[in-house]
Structure formats: C-alpha cells, structure tokens
Amino acid sequence: MNTEDQHGRGRTGPRPRRARLLAAAGAAALLLASGLAAPAASAAQQAGNTQQGQEQAQGQGQGHGGKVLTVAVAQSVDSLSPFLAVRLLSTSVSRLMYEYLTNYDPKDAHAVPGLATKWESSPDKLTWTYTIRSNSKWSDGQQVTAEDAAWTFNKMMTDPGAATANGSFVGNFAKVTAPSPAQLVIRLKKPQATMTALDVPIVPKHVWEKVQDFSKFNNDKSFPIVGNGPFVLTDYKPDSYVKLKANKDFWRGAPKFDELVFRYYKDQDAAVAALRKGEVSFVAGSPSLTPAQAASLKGDKDIHVNEGPGRRFYALATNPGAQAKDGTKFGDGDPSLLDERVRHALFMAVDRRTIVDKVFQGHAVQGQGYIPPRFSSYYWQPSAGQDLAYDPAKAGQLLDQAGYRKNADGKRVGKDGKPLNYRVLCHATDPNDKAVGKYLQEWWGKIGVGVSLDCLDNVTDPWLAGKYDLAFDGWSVNPDPDFVLSIHTCAARPQTPKDTGATDNFICDKTYDDLYARQLAEYDPAKRADLVKQMESRLYDLGYMNVMAYPNAVEAYRTDQIKSITTMPSAAGNIYGQDGYWSWWSAVPADSDGSSGGGTSTGVVIGIVAGVVVLGGLAVLFAVRRRSTAEDRE
C-alpha cells in the first residue's frame, strides 16, 4: 500500500506504516461522543462560507484577514483521529495538531525535545522517565500534563481500536504512570530501542476520554479540534480540504502564516496549474511531481522547484496469501505466488534501471533493499550472488522449474492448464503506477506471463480484503525504521478477516519476526543496524517485496508567497511529509519584514537542544516511523 503513508499513496508509503485504514462500512458508522470538542459551527456551515473566489484569494495569501499558505496535495484524509490515521497527509496533520514526546532535529534527525523537555532511562533500560514541559497548553486553555500522555498510552495498551495506527509502539509497554503533572514513567517488558522516537500524538485526556468507540471515531464532526501543536484544526471537508489556524500560544513560537490549508487535487496537472495561477502556494505531488511537471515549472517566474533525496521506496508487493492471526485465510491471491521461485522470476523480469531512467527520468535511485540510501546507517544492498538482477532468461528457467511451462501460444500454464495472468493493483491518480504497469505488461509478456492492471481511486478496500495478486506499494521511512519493519511481522496481521491490522501485505515469517524482536531490544546502534540489515536481507530473499526505486522528493512552491521554508534534512531535503512540523511552522510569508528567523534550520534549532539528555552508552538517539504508501502511507 502506500503510506503517503498508506494505501492511497501514503500507503504509498503505506501503506504504510499499517495499522489499517478503516473499512468503508466501519467508517460510515461513526459513533460520536457528545462534547468531544469545543462548540463550533458545523463542517457543513463552515464549508458553505468557502466560495471558490475566497478559496483562490486564500491561495494568494489573502482571506480571513491574515496570511494563508495553501498546499495542494494528491491525497485525501483517511481519518483525523491520531489513533486511526495512517496516510501521509493525515499523519502530517496530526503532527501539526498534537505534540509528540520527542521530535527530530531538522538538520540531521537526531532526537530533540517535544512535549518532553528531557528523558532518562534506568540502568537496566527498562524504566524511562520523561519530564513534561510546563509551558504547553491545550488550545482550550487547559494545561498539558503527564496525565495526558499516560492516558494516551494506556488507552492504546487496553483498547484495540485505539491501537490501530500506532499499536506497535506500545506493545512492549508493561505499565505507564504519571506520578506528577511533570513526570511520565514508562516501564517496559524488555529493552526497546525506540524510546526516544515514539511517534505517537499525545491527546488531551479531558476531551478524548468521552469517546466511546475508538475504532469508529474519526474526530471530524466538531471544530475547532483541541490540540497543543503549532496549528489548530478549524475545518475539514472530505476529499476537499483541511484548514488549520496558527496557534498563537504554541510554546516554540507561533507560525508566521495565520492559516494553513491542505487542498486535495485528484488531478496532479490541475494542481500544477493552480500553482502557476497563484491559487496555491505549494504543490507536493503524488507524492512527487513528475519529471515533466518539474521541468515545466523550472522556467516559471516566482516558482522554485525543490528536489532532494527521498525518504520513500517504490515497490511491487506480492500477495502472500492473506491470513488473519486466528488462522483464517481470505482474499483471492493467485496460489502460484506462494512459490518463491515464481516470485523471484517475476522480479528478475523487472528492469529497475529502465524504471529509473524512463519513468522517473533520473529523479530516483535504483531500488534494492527496503530502506532508502538517505538513511545510510540502515541502507542495505544484496550480495552479488543474492541479487535478483534483471535476467529474463533466468526468470524463464525459474518458471520452468516451478512447473509453469509455455504452451503453443507462448503462455505460461500450470499443471491444471490455467495460464498465469496476474492482477496488479495500482493507484489511478499515480502516473508512475500506470507507466510502470505498461512496462510490466511488456516484460512479463516476454516470459509468458499476463498482466491486468487494476487502477482504482480506492485501492484500500481490495488491499485489506486480500483481493489482489500484486500491488504497487510504497512507504515513507522515518529516521528510525522500526515502524516500516513492524508492518511485515506476524503480529501486524488483523485478528480476524473482519478486523483491520497494521500489516502491509500479510507477510508472516518466523525468521523475520525473531530478527525484528532482537533489533527492537538492541540499544547498541551498530549492532541494531546490523540486525535491521539482516531483516532487509530476509525480506529480499522471501521475494514478497520488490523495491524498484527510491524516488527523489520533487515539489514546488511560489516564491512570491513563501519567502523561506525549512527542508529536512536542512542541507538538501524534502518539505512535505517531514518527520516533524518544521516546514509549515517555519515558513515565512513573502511580504514578511524578515524579522523572523523561523525560516531556516538554524532558527529552528536554537533553544531546543539544551534539554536533551544523552543517555549513557547511546551515541545515537533513535527516531521512529512513518510508513507511507504514496496515497496512504507515507
């Protein structure tokens, strides 16, 4: 999926990365608790006030009496509940609404204070104590305390619905308490290397304790939504827009733009046209601009194209036979794909170099391991004898060995005489899926395998139901890779076929699970990195995931609307979908007097390093997460 963080193109990344998207039927039956948010006009009433002319004016930095930054996105929201959201857009919005215990430095992604000003572990690394800052308040005026954090984690530990998106972070928690308003204590069952990278939005207990069913509550019916992040969500219209206003009382300082709007465009060319007209300030792409779109924008006045090494991978996922944790099999994946030789043959008939050169036109790196080269500590490459390199002849030999020989028509058939013809699930809004799909039809056709592209606006439903053979997949990887690794564990599968899980594509392998448990408990950075690479090697050998490319982050913004904005990493990185809120919090309007230093990474970092406690024996502070498929994960 995509996790653009999930099945949509968050799962791109996504995916991703997943604790799963709500099934359509469940999403339709929202169970709201009375008084969840402060009284406000309904979404319908507020939407009625947003006429097209006003929306365009907002995109040009006008409207509501303040400066507005409008971001064009190619993904819709799956949920505004931080307990359910997995798509890149949704999780990015959560970062703006709620503080996490820790954040990631925009320069190099090491852990820095967030809601916690400092943290320390016991000598046995089983008890972690966090000091909660005293200068953070909820947008309704109430003080944020350690009790809010303790309640958030305990709810995830005891309510399966609340653990949908981020349950992997608390699965090893034994007990969480708040001895005082400023002290949070987490007791672990065994060591856990991700304790400075818990990517879990902390929510206000006094608001969320009124929710009755966390598996169905989408947090999208009453505005403004109470939070403590740099922005407060004020309005939302499904498949249309998300609106947030600057939190003037944010402890790190108020954002420079008064309002931030994420506007959904199903057609990416339409989003690019809106940027040219000045109707939007920024275009993120799906999840990136196509090479043609980027090239066409580079010569335009007042438009800057930003490109940096990507944090995503672009892959083909194979249905391994969808199965729930209770042992029930479901879906209709082709049984031939249960043969590792068949999976390897398919991937050896994929020319990754052509995909990079022709589809991405050089704006990507050829894929190999599961984690992009941007994260050098965890980047893995197969050995010469292990590499499933492009070799159609050898692919044909593997299919022969598996019992799928060519008939008189050149089609591969099994003993039952049935030809191999695979359904490939793709995202209708992603031009890369369609372009690569055409190549697959050509390449696999040469080895006698048929391809039927199933390009849909909604890939979530068939994905979760296991009704696909292969699917275009992708996730956004966080500085700490634990989350995207966790989505391939047996425990990530749904409890029953009717439930949603955190799995990407139902992979369950004991060897992989053992390695996952070992890396999670390993505090030594070098030893942990080695275990992660062993996991990547195992995933590669299984052949269920074929990483074809690591796309660059390619995006654009209007310099006559945005004076400066922080990338991550600051030297050369992405703006949209960061591990943090730095880009939108730091963005400086073009008509600013320049008095603010928030537009550079230097200004961002000042004042946030002093509270960091470097734990004994840890040379690197770990950071975790987010998957993304392009549409969903991210």
Side-chain angles (χ1 to χ4, degrees), residues 436-469:
V436 174
K438 291 181 178 179
Y439 276 113
L440 292 181
Q441 291 175 325
E442 174 188 342
W443 294 330
W444 290 357
K446 290 180 179 179
I447 61 172
V449 175
V451 175
S452 298
L453 291 178
D454 192 10
C455 296
L456 306 173
D457 289 335
N458 171 23
V459 302
T460 299
D461 291 345
W463 200 306
L464 295 180
K467 294 184 176 181
Y468 65 97
D469 297 325

PDB file of all heavy atoms in Angstrom, residues 436-469:
ATOM      1  N   VAL A 436       4.790   2.246 -15.164  1.00  0.00           N
ATOM      2  CA  VAL A 436       5.492   1.002 -14.843  1.00  0.00           C
ATOM      3  C   VAL A 436       4.622  -0.194 -15.211  1.00  0.00           C
ATOM      4  O   VAL A 436       5.121  -1.227 -15.678  1.00  0.00           O
ATOM      5  CB  VAL A 436       5.874   0.957 -13.347  1.00  0.00           C
ATOM      6  CG1 VAL A 436       6.482  -0.393 -12.982  1.00  0.00           C
ATOM      7  CG2 VAL A 436       6.848   2.078 -13.013  1.00  0.00           C
ATOM      8  N   GLY A 437       3.313  -0.052 -15.033  1.00  0.00           N
ATOM      9  CA  GLY A 437       2.399  -1.132 -15.386  1.00  0.00           C
ATOM     10  C   GLY A 437       2.515  -1.522 -16.849  1.00  0.00           C
ATOM     11  O   GLY A 437       2.465  -2.716 -17.200  1.00  0.00           O
ATOM     12  N   LYS A 438       2.677  -0.551 -17.722  1.00  0.00           N
ATOM     13  CA  LYS A 438       2.832  -0.844 -19.150  1.00  0.00           C
ATOM     14  C   LYS A 438       4.128  -1.605 -19.408  1.00  0.00           C
ATOM     15  O   LYS A 438       4.169  -2.509 -20.248  1.00  0.00           O
ATOM     16  CB  LYS A 438       2.793   0.459 -19.950  1.00  0.00           C
ATOM     17  CG  LYS A 438       1.426   1.125 -19.962  1.00  0.00           C
ATOM     18  CD  LYS A 438       1.434   2.408 -20.793  1.00  0.00           C
ATOM     19  CE  LYS A 438       0.048   3.043 -20.826  1.00  0.00           C
ATOM     20  NZ  LYS A 438       0.033   4.308 -21.601  1.00  0.00           N
ATOM     21  N   TYR A 439       5.174  -1.226 -18.685  1.00  0.00           N
ATOM     22  CA  TYR A 439       6.435  -1.965 -18.824  1.00  0.00           C
ATOM     23  C   TYR A 439       6.277  -3.398 -18.337  1.00  0.00           C
ATOM     24  O   TYR A 439       6.813  -4.341 -18.941  1.00  0.00           O
ATOM     25  CB  TYR A 439       7.548  -1.263 -18.045  1.00  0.00           C
ATOM     26  CG  TYR A 439       8.219  -0.139 -18.797  1.00  0.00           C
ATOM     27  CD1 TYR A 439       8.089   1.182 -18.374  1.00  0.00           C
ATOM     28  CD2 TYR A 439       8.987  -0.393 -19.936  1.00  0.00           C
ATOM     29  CE1 TYR A 439       8.700   2.225 -19.061  1.00  0.00           C
ATOM     30  CE2 TYR A 439       9.605   0.641 -20.626  1.00  0.00           C
ATOM     31  CZ  TYR A 439       9.460   1.952 -20.198  1.00  0.00           C
ATOM     32  OH  TYR A 439      10.059   2.974 -20.875  1.00  0.00           O
ATOM     33  N   LEU A 440       5.543  -3.571 -17.228  1.00  0.00           N
ATOM     34  CA  LEU A 440       5.339  -4.931 -16.717  1.00  0.00           C
ATOM     35  C   LEU A 440       4.613  -5.793 -17.754  1.00  0.00           C
ATOM     36  O   LEU A 440       4.948  -6.973 -17.931  1.00  0.00           O
ATOM     37  CB  LEU A 440       4.519  -4.892 -15.424  1.00  0.00           C
ATOM     38  CG  LEU A 440       5.179  -4.278 -14.190  1.00  0.00           C
ATOM     39  CD1 LEU A 440       4.223  -4.348 -13.004  1.00  0.00           C
ATOM     40  CD2 LEU A 440       6.491  -4.971 -13.863  1.00  0.00           C
ATOM     41  N   GLN A 441       3.629  -5.229 -18.421  1.00  0.00           N
ATOM     42  CA  GLN A 441       2.917  -5.976 -19.452  1.00  0.00           C
ATOM     43  C   GLN A 441       3.869  -6.421 -20.554  1.00  0.00           C
ATOM     44  O   GLN A 441       3.755  -7.536 -21.078  1.00  0.00           O
ATOM     45  CB  GLN A 441       1.783  -5.123 -20.015  1.00  0.00           C
ATOM     46  CG  GLN A 441       0.649  -4.893 -19.019  1.00  0.00           C
ATOM     47  CD  GLN A 441      -0.419  -3.945 -19.538  1.00  0.00           C
ATOM     48  OE1 GLN A 441      -0.121  -2.988 -20.252  1.00  0.00           O
ATOM     49  NE2 GLN A 441      -1.667  -4.191 -19.166  1.00  0.00           N
ATOM     50  N   GLU A 442       4.807  -5.549 -20.880  1.00  0.00           N
ATOM     51  CA  GLU A 442       5.794  -5.886 -21.914  1.00  0.00           C
ATOM     52  C   GLU A 442       6.811  -6.907 -21.405  1.00  0.00           C
ATOM     53  O   GLU A 442       7.038  -7.946 -22.048  1.00  0.00           O
ATOM     54  CB  GLU A 442       6.519  -4.613 -22.353  1.00  0.00           C
ATOM     55  CG  GLU A 442       7.672  -4.852 -23.316  1.00  0.00           C
ATOM     56  CD  GLU A 442       8.489  -3.606 -23.595  1.00  0.00           C
ATOM     57  OE1 GLU A 442       7.980  -2.482 -23.331  1.00  0.00           O
ATOM     58  OE2 GLU A 442       9.642  -3.741 -24.073  1.00  0.00           O
ATOM     59  N   TRP A 443       7.414  -6.652 -20.237  1.00  0.00           N
ATOM     60  CA  TRP A 443       8.474  -7.530 -19.730  1.00  0.00           C
ATOM     61  C   TRP A 443       7.948  -8.906 -19.365  1.00  0.00           C
ATOM     62  O   TRP A 443       8.544  -9.923 -19.718  1.00  0.00           O
ATOM     63  CB  TRP A 443       9.136  -6.882 -18.499  1.00  0.00           C
ATOM     64  CG  TRP A 443       9.881  -5.621 -18.798  1.00  0.00           C
ATOM     65  CD1 TRP A 443      10.521  -5.282 -19.961  1.00  0.00           C
ATOM     66  CD2 TRP A 443      10.073  -4.511 -17.902  1.00  0.00           C
ATOM     67  NE1 TRP A 443      11.093  -4.041 -19.852  1.00  0.00           N
ATOM     68  CE2 TRP A 443      10.845  -3.546 -18.606  1.00  0.00           C
ATOM     69  CE3 TRP A 443       9.685  -4.234 -16.599  1.00  0.00           C
ATOM     70  CZ2 TRP A 443      11.230  -2.335 -18.034  1.00  0.00           C
ATOM     71  CZ3 TRP A 443      10.058  -3.037 -16.017  1.00  0.00           C
ATOM     72  CH2 TRP A 443      10.827  -2.094 -16.735  1.00  0.00           C
ATOM     73  N   TRP A 444       6.836  -8.944 -18.635  1.00  0.00           N
ATOM     74  CA  TRP A 444       6.302 -10.239 -18.221  1.00  0.00           C
ATOM     75  C   TRP A 444       5.673 -10.982 -19.390  1.00  0.00           C
ATOM     76  O   TRP A 444       5.631 -12.207 -19.407  1.00  0.00           O
ATOM     77  CB  TRP A 444       5.298 -10.053 -17.075  1.00  0.00           C
ATOM     78  CG  TRP A 444       5.979  -9.641 -15.794  1.00  0.00           C
ATOM     79  CD1 TRP A 444       7.327  -9.503 -15.593  1.00  0.00           C
ATOM     80  CD2 TRP A 444       5.360  -9.316 -14.546  1.00  0.00           C
ATOM     81  NE1 TRP A 444       7.587  -9.090 -14.299  1.00  0.00           N
ATOM     82  CE2 TRP A 444       6.397  -8.982 -13.635  1.00  0.00           C
ATOM     83  CE3 TRP A 444       4.046  -9.267 -14.120  1.00  0.00           C
ATOM     84  CZ2 TRP A 444       6.149  -8.613 -12.317  1.00  0.00           C
ATOM     85  CZ3 TRP A 444       3.771  -8.899 -12.802  1.00  0.00           C
ATOM     86  CH2 TRP A 444       4.812  -8.569 -11.910  1.00  0.00           C
ATOM     87  N   GLY A 445       5.184 -10.218 -20.365  1.00  0.00           N
ATOM     88  CA  GLY A 445       4.647 -10.858 -21.558  1.00  0.00           C
ATOM     89  C   GLY A 445       5.706 -11.661 -22.284  1.00  0.00           C
ATOM     90  O   GLY A 445       5.433 -12.732 -22.854  1.00  0.00           O
ATOM     91  N   LYS A 446       6.948 -11.174 -22.265  1.00  0.00           N
ATOM     92  CA  LYS A 446       8.048 -11.865 -22.942  1.00  0.00           C
ATOM     93  C   LYS A 446       8.387 -13.199 -22.286  1.00  0.00           C
ATOM     94  O   LYS A 446       8.938 -14.094 -22.936  1.00  0.00           O
ATOM     95  CB  LYS A 446       9.289 -10.966 -22.969  1.00  0.00           C
ATOM     96  CG  LYS A 446       9.155  -9.756 -23.890  1.00  0.00           C
ATOM     97  CD  LYS A 446      10.418  -8.907 -23.870  1.00  0.00           C
ATOM     98  CE  LYS A 446      10.290  -7.706 -24.810  1.00  0.00           C
ATOM     99  NZ  LYS A 446      11.513  -6.850 -24.779  1.00  0.00           N
ATOM    100  N   ILE A 447       8.073 -13.342 -20.996  1.00  0.00           N
ATOM    101  CA  ILE A 447       8.338 -14.628 -20.336  1.00  0.00           C
ATOM    102  C   ILE A 447       7.061 -15.453 -20.219  1.00  0.00           C
ATOM    103  O   ILE A 447       7.022 -16.450 -19.500  1.00  0.00           O
ATOM    104  CB  ILE A 447       8.986 -14.421 -18.943  1.00  0.00           C
ATOM    105  CG1 ILE A 447       8.056 -13.624 -18.007  1.00  0.00           C
ATOM    106  CG2 ILE A 447      10.347 -13.732 -19.078  1.00  0.00           C
ATOM    107  CD1 ILE A 447       8.564 -13.557 -16.567  1.00  0.00           C
ATOM    108  N   GLY A 448       6.004 -14.984 -20.902  1.00  0.00           N
ATOM    109  CA  GLY A 448       4.771 -15.765 -20.961  1.00  0.00           C
ATOM    110  C   GLY A 448       3.769 -15.520 -19.854  1.00  0.00           C
ATOM    111  O   GLY A 448       2.866 -16.329 -19.651  1.00  0.00           O
ATOM    112  N   VAL A 449       3.907 -14.418 -19.131  1.00  0.00           N
ATOM    113  CA  VAL A 449       3.014 -14.106 -18.021  1.00  0.00           C
ATOM    114  C   VAL A 449       2.142 -12.910 -18.384  1.00  0.00           C
ATOM    115  O   VAL A 449       2.641 -11.876 -18.821  1.00  0.00           O
ATOM    116  CB  VAL A 449       3.807 -13.798 -16.735  1.00  0.00           C
ATOM    117  CG1 VAL A 449       2.881 -13.367 -15.612  1.00  0.00           C
ATOM    118  CG2 VAL A 449       4.620 -15.015 -16.317  1.00  0.00           C
ATOM    119  N   GLY A 450       0.829 -13.039 -18.185  1.00  0.00           N
ATOM    120  CA  GLY A 450      -0.093 -11.955 -18.478  1.00  0.00           C
ATOM    121  C   GLY A 450      -0.242 -10.995 -17.325  1.00  0.00           C
ATOM    122  O   GLY A 450      -0.065 -11.357 -16.154  1.00  0.00           O
ATOM    123  N   VAL A 451      -0.571  -9.747 -17.637  1.00  0.00           N
ATOM    124  CA  VAL A 451      -0.744  -8.701 -16.630  1.00  0.00           C
ATOM    125  C   VAL A 451      -2.037  -7.939 -16.901  1.00  0.00           C
ATOM    126  O   VAL A 451      -2.257  -7.462 -18.022  1.00  0.00           O
ATOM    127  CB  VAL A 451       0.432  -7.704 -16.625  1.00  0.00           C
ATOM    128  CG1 VAL A 451       0.153  -6.557 -15.649  1.00  0.00           C
ATOM    129  CG2 VAL A 451       1.728  -8.393 -16.271  1.00  0.00           C
ATOM    130  N   SER A 452      -2.870  -7.821 -15.887  1.00  0.00           N
ATOM    131  CA  SER A 452      -4.078  -6.998 -15.960  1.00  0.00           C
ATOM    132  C   SER A 452      -3.946  -5.888 -14.928  1.00  0.00           C
ATOM    133  O   SER A 452      -3.907  -6.168 -13.726  1.00  0.00           O
ATOM    134  CB  SER A 452      -5.324  -7.840 -15.669  1.00  0.00           C
ATOM    135  OG  SER A 452      -5.485  -8.864 -16.630  1.00  0.00           O
ATOM    136  N   LEU A 453      -3.848  -4.648 -15.384  1.00  0.00           N
ATOM    137  CA  LEU A 453      -3.726  -3.519 -14.464  1.00  0.00           C
ATOM    138  C   LEU A 453      -5.098  -3.155 -13.903  1.00  0.00           C
ATOM    139  O   LEU A 453      -6.056  -2.962 -14.657  1.00  0.00           O
ATOM    140  CB  LEU A 453      -3.126  -2.307 -15.175  1.00  0.00           C
ATOM    141  CG  LEU A 453      -1.653  -2.407 -15.579  1.00  0.00           C
ATOM    142  CD1 LEU A 453      -1.234  -1.139 -16.314  1.00  0.00           C
ATOM    143  CD2 LEU A 453      -0.772  -2.624 -14.363  1.00  0.00           C
ATOM    144  N   ASP A 454      -5.190  -3.085 -12.598  1.00  0.00           N
ATOM    145  CA  ASP A 454      -6.429  -2.741 -11.918  1.00  0.00           C
ATOM    146  C   ASP A 454      -6.215  -1.404 -11.223  1.00  0.00           C
ATOM    147  O   ASP A 454      -5.886  -1.344 -10.035  1.00  0.00           O
ATOM    148  CB  ASP A 454      -6.787  -3.836 -10.910  1.00  0.00           C
ATOM    149  CG  ASP A 454      -8.199  -3.695 -10.367  1.00  0.00           C
ATOM    150  OD1 ASP A 454      -8.956  -2.867 -10.908  1.00  0.00           O
ATOM    151  OD2 ASP A 454      -8.545  -4.418  -9.412  1.00  0.00           O
ATOM    152  N   CYS A 455      -6.356  -0.316 -11.980  1.00  0.00           N
ATOM    153  CA  CYS A 455      -6.077   1.020 -11.457  1.00  0.00           C
ATOM    154  C   CYS A 455      -7.353   1.636 -10.878  1.00  0.00           C
ATOM    155  O   CYS A 455      -8.331   1.858 -11.589  1.00  0.00           O
ATOM    156  CB  CYS A 455      -5.520   1.907 -12.556  1.00  0.00           C
ATOM    157  SG  CYS A 455      -3.919   1.349 -13.195  1.00  0.00           S
ATOM    158  N   LEU A 456      -7.324   1.911  -9.580  1.00  0.00           N
ATOM    159  CA  LEU A 456      -8.504   2.359  -8.852  1.00  0.00           C
ATOM    160  C   LEU A 456      -8.232   3.637  -8.080  1.00  0.00           C
ATOM    161  O   LEU A 456      -7.099   3.901  -7.657  1.00  0.00           O
ATOM    162  CB  LEU A 456      -8.958   1.276  -7.862  1.00  0.00           C
ATOM    163  CG  LEU A 456      -9.202  -0.133  -8.419  1.00  0.00           C
ATOM    164  CD1 LEU A 456      -9.465  -1.088  -7.257  1.00  0.00           C
ATOM    165  CD2 LEU A 456     -10.374  -0.136  -9.383  1.00  0.00           C
ATOM    166  N   ASP A 457      -9.293   4.423  -7.871  1.00  0.00           N
ATOM    167  CA  ASP A 457      -9.179   5.573  -6.985  1.00  0.00           C
ATOM    168  C   ASP A 457      -9.033   5.114  -5.546  1.00  0.00           C
ATOM    169  O   ASP A 457      -8.334   5.721  -4.738  1.00  0.00           O
ATOM    170  CB  ASP A 457     -10.422   6.468  -7.112  1.00  0.00           C
ATOM    171  CG  ASP A 457     -10.476   7.213  -8.440  1.00  0.00           C
ATOM    172  OD1 ASP A 457      -9.413   7.436  -9.037  1.00  0.00           O
ATOM    173  OD2 ASP A 457     -11.583   7.563  -8.873  1.00  0.00           O
ATOM    174  N   ASN A 458      -9.712   4.028  -5.217  1.00  0.00           N
ATOM    175  CA  ASN A 458      -9.666   3.479  -3.864  1.00  0.00           C
ATOM    176  C   ASN A 458      -9.064   2.083  -3.903  1.00  0.00           C
ATOM    177  O   ASN A 458      -9.738   1.119  -4.255  1.00  0.00           O
ATOM    178  CB  ASN A 458     -11.082   3.429  -3.275  1.00  0.00           C
ATOM    179  CG  ASN A 458     -11.139   2.671  -1.957  1.00  0.00           C
ATOM    180  OD1 ASN A 458     -10.138   2.539  -1.254  1.00  0.00           O
ATOM    181  ND2 ASN A 458     -12.307   2.146  -1.623  1.00  0.00           N
ATOM    182  N   VAL A 459      -7.801   1.974  -3.559  1.00  0.00           N
ATOM    183  CA  VAL A 459      -7.153   0.656  -3.523  1.00  0.00           C
ATOM    184  C   VAL A 459      -7.248   0.035  -2.135  1.00  0.00           C
ATOM    185  O   VAL A 459      -6.894  -1.127  -1.933  1.00  0.00           O
ATOM    186  CB  VAL A 459      -5.661   0.756  -3.933  1.00  0.00           C
ATOM    187  CG1 VAL A 459      -5.518   1.342  -5.310  1.00  0.00           C
ATOM    188  CG2 VAL A 459      -4.858   1.552  -2.918  1.00  0.00           C
ATOM    189  N   THR A 460      -7.725   0.804  -1.175  1.00  0.00           N
ATOM    190  CA  THR A 460      -7.758   0.335   0.208  1.00  0.00           C
ATOM    191  C   THR A 460      -8.627  -0.900   0.391  1.00  0.00           C
ATOM    192  O   THR A 460      -8.208  -1.885   1.012  1.00  0.00           O
ATOM    193  CB  THR A 460      -8.264   1.453   1.136  1.00  0.00           C
ATOM    194  OG1 THR A 460      -7.387   2.564   1.052  1.00  0.00           O
ATOM    195  CG2 THR A 460      -8.325   0.961   2.572  1.00  0.00           C
ATOM    196  N   ASP A 461      -9.846  -0.862  -0.135  1.00  0.00           N
ATOM    197  CA  ASP A 461     -10.776  -1.963   0.099  1.00  0.00           C
ATOM    198  C   ASP A 461     -10.271  -3.298  -0.441  1.00  0.00           C
ATOM    199  O   ASP A 461     -10.246  -4.294   0.295  1.00  0.00           O
ATOM    200  CB  ASP A 461     -12.153  -1.620  -0.472  1.00  0.00           C
ATOM    201  CG  ASP A 461     -12.841  -0.504   0.305  1.00  0.00           C
ATOM    202  OD1 ASP A 461     -12.391  -0.202   1.429  1.00  0.00           O
ATOM    203  OD2 ASP A 461     -13.814   0.083  -0.204  1.00  0.00           O
ATOM    204  N   PRO A 462      -9.866  -3.380  -1.719  1.00  0.00           N
ATOM    205  CA  PRO A 462      -9.355  -4.672  -2.196  1.00  0.00           C
ATOM    206  C   PRO A 462      -8.059  -5.075  -1.502  1.00  0.00           C
ATOM    207  O   PRO A 462      -7.808  -6.263  -1.305  1.00  0.00           O
ATOM    208  CB  PRO A 462      -9.153  -4.444  -3.701  1.00  0.00           C
ATOM    209  CG  PRO A 462      -9.064  -2.963  -3.874  1.00  0.00           C
ATOM    210  CD  PRO A 462      -9.948  -2.388  -2.817  1.00  0.00           C
ATOM    211  N   TRP A 463      -7.253  -4.100  -1.113  1.00  0.00           N
ATOM    212  CA  TRP A 463      -5.993  -4.412  -0.438  1.00  0.00           C
ATOM    213  C   TRP A 463      -6.268  -5.078   0.908  1.00  0.00           C
ATOM    214  O   TRP A 463      -5.724  -6.130   1.225  1.00  0.00           O
ATOM    215  CB  TRP A 463      -5.189  -3.133  -0.236  1.00  0.00           C
ATOM    216  CG  TRP A 463      -3.730  -3.384  -0.009  1.00  0.00           C
ATOM    217  CD1 TRP A 463      -3.154  -4.200   0.919  1.00  0.00           C
ATOM    218  CD2 TRP A 463      -2.650  -2.823  -0.756  1.00  0.00           C
ATOM    219  NE1 TRP A 463      -1.790  -4.173   0.824  1.00  0.00           N
ATOM    220  CE2 TRP A 463      -1.447  -3.330  -0.196  1.00  0.00           C
ATOM    221  CE3 TRP A 463      -2.576  -1.926  -1.807  1.00  0.00           C
ATOM    222  CZ2 TRP A 463      -0.192  -2.973  -0.674  1.00  0.00           C
ATOM    223  CZ3 TRP A 463      -1.317  -1.574  -2.291  1.00  0.00           C
ATOM    224  CH2 TRP A 463      -0.138  -2.094  -1.725  1.00  0.00           C
ATOM    225  N   LEU A 464      -7.117  -4.466   1.697  1.00  0.00           N
ATOM    226  CA  LEU A 464      -7.412  -5.006   3.017  1.00  0.00           C
ATOM    227  C   LEU A 464      -8.147  -6.336   2.941  1.00  0.00           C
ATOM    228  O   LEU A 464      -8.037  -7.169   3.845  1.00  0.00           O
ATOM    229  CB  LEU A 464      -8.256  -4.020   3.817  1.00  0.00           C
ATOM    230  CG  LEU A 464      -7.601  -2.675   4.171  1.00  0.00           C
ATOM    231  CD1 LEU A 464      -8.564  -1.807   4.951  1.00  0.00           C
ATOM    232  CD2 LEU A 464      -6.330  -2.891   4.970  1.00  0.00           C
ATOM    233  N   ALA A 465      -8.869  -6.544   1.843  1.00  0.00           N
ATOM    234  CA  ALA A 465      -9.605  -7.795   1.662  1.00  0.00           C
ATOM    235  C   ALA A 465      -8.731  -8.887   1.059  1.00  0.00           C
ATOM    236  O   ALA A 465      -9.169 -10.034   0.932  1.00  0.00           O
ATOM    237  CB  ALA A 465     -10.823  -7.556   0.777  1.00  0.00           C
ATOM    238  N   GLY A 466      -7.478  -8.544   0.700  1.00  0.00           N
ATOM    239  CA  GLY A 466      -6.579  -9.525   0.101  1.00  0.00           C
ATOM    240  C   GLY A 466      -6.985  -9.910  -1.307  1.00  0.00           C
ATOM    241  O   GLY A 466      -6.609 -10.978  -1.800  1.00  0.00           O
ATOM    242  N   LYS A 467      -7.735  -9.043  -1.977  1.00  0.00           N
ATOM    243  CA  LYS A 467      -8.218  -9.352  -3.329  1.00  0.00           C
ATOM    244  C   LYS A 467      -7.334  -8.691  -4.375  1.00  0.00           C
ATOM    245  O   LYS A 467      -7.718  -7.741  -5.064  1.00  0.00           O
ATOM    246  CB  LYS A 467      -9.676  -8.924  -3.469  1.00  0.00           C
ATOM    247  CG  LYS A 467     -10.617  -9.732  -2.573  1.00  0.00           C
ATOM    248  CD  LYS A 467     -12.068  -9.358  -2.784  1.00  0.00           C
ATOM    249  CE  LYS A 467     -12.981 -10.247  -1.942  1.00  0.00           C
ATOM    250  NZ  LYS A 467     -14.419  -9.933  -2.130  1.00  0.00           N
ATOM    251  N   TYR A 468      -6.126  -9.197  -4.490  1.00  0.00           N
ATOM    252  CA  TYR A 468      -5.160  -8.731  -5.482  1.00  0.00           C
ATOM    253  C   TYR A 468      -4.078  -9.791  -5.602  1.00  0.00           C
ATOM    254  O   TYR A 468      -3.932 -10.655  -4.733  1.00  0.00           O
ATOM    255  CB  TYR A 468      -4.553  -7.393  -5.055  1.00  0.00           C
ATOM    256  CG  TYR A 468      -3.715  -7.459  -3.792  1.00  0.00           C
ATOM    257  CD1 TYR A 468      -2.321  -7.581  -3.859  1.00  0.00           C
ATOM    258  CD2 TYR A 468      -4.303  -7.402  -2.529  1.00  0.00           C
ATOM    259  CE1 TYR A 468      -1.553  -7.659  -2.705  1.00  0.00           C
ATOM    260  CE2 TYR A 468      -3.546  -7.478  -1.379  1.00  0.00           C
ATOM    261  CZ  TYR A 468      -2.176  -7.605  -1.461  1.00  0.00           C
ATOM    262  OH  TYR A 468      -1.409  -7.687  -0.331  1.00  0.00           O
ATOM    263  N   ASP A 469      -3.323  -9.748  -6.690  1.00  0.00           N
ATOM    264  CA  ASP A 469      -2.186 -10.650  -6.841  1.00  0.00           C
ATOM    265  C   ASP A 469      -0.894  -9.913  -6.506  1.00  0.00           C
ATOM    266  O   ASP A 469      -0.096 -10.370  -5.700  1.00  0.00           O
ATOM    267  CB  ASP A 469      -2.141 -11.211  -8.265  1.00  0.00           C
ATOM    268  CG  ASP A 469      -3.352 -12.052  -8.602  1.00  0.00           C
ATOM    269  OD1 ASP A 469      -3.851 -12.745  -7.694  1.00  0.00           O
ATOM    270  OD2 ASP A 469      -3.825 -12.008  -9.754  1.00  0.00           O
TER     271      ASP A 469
END
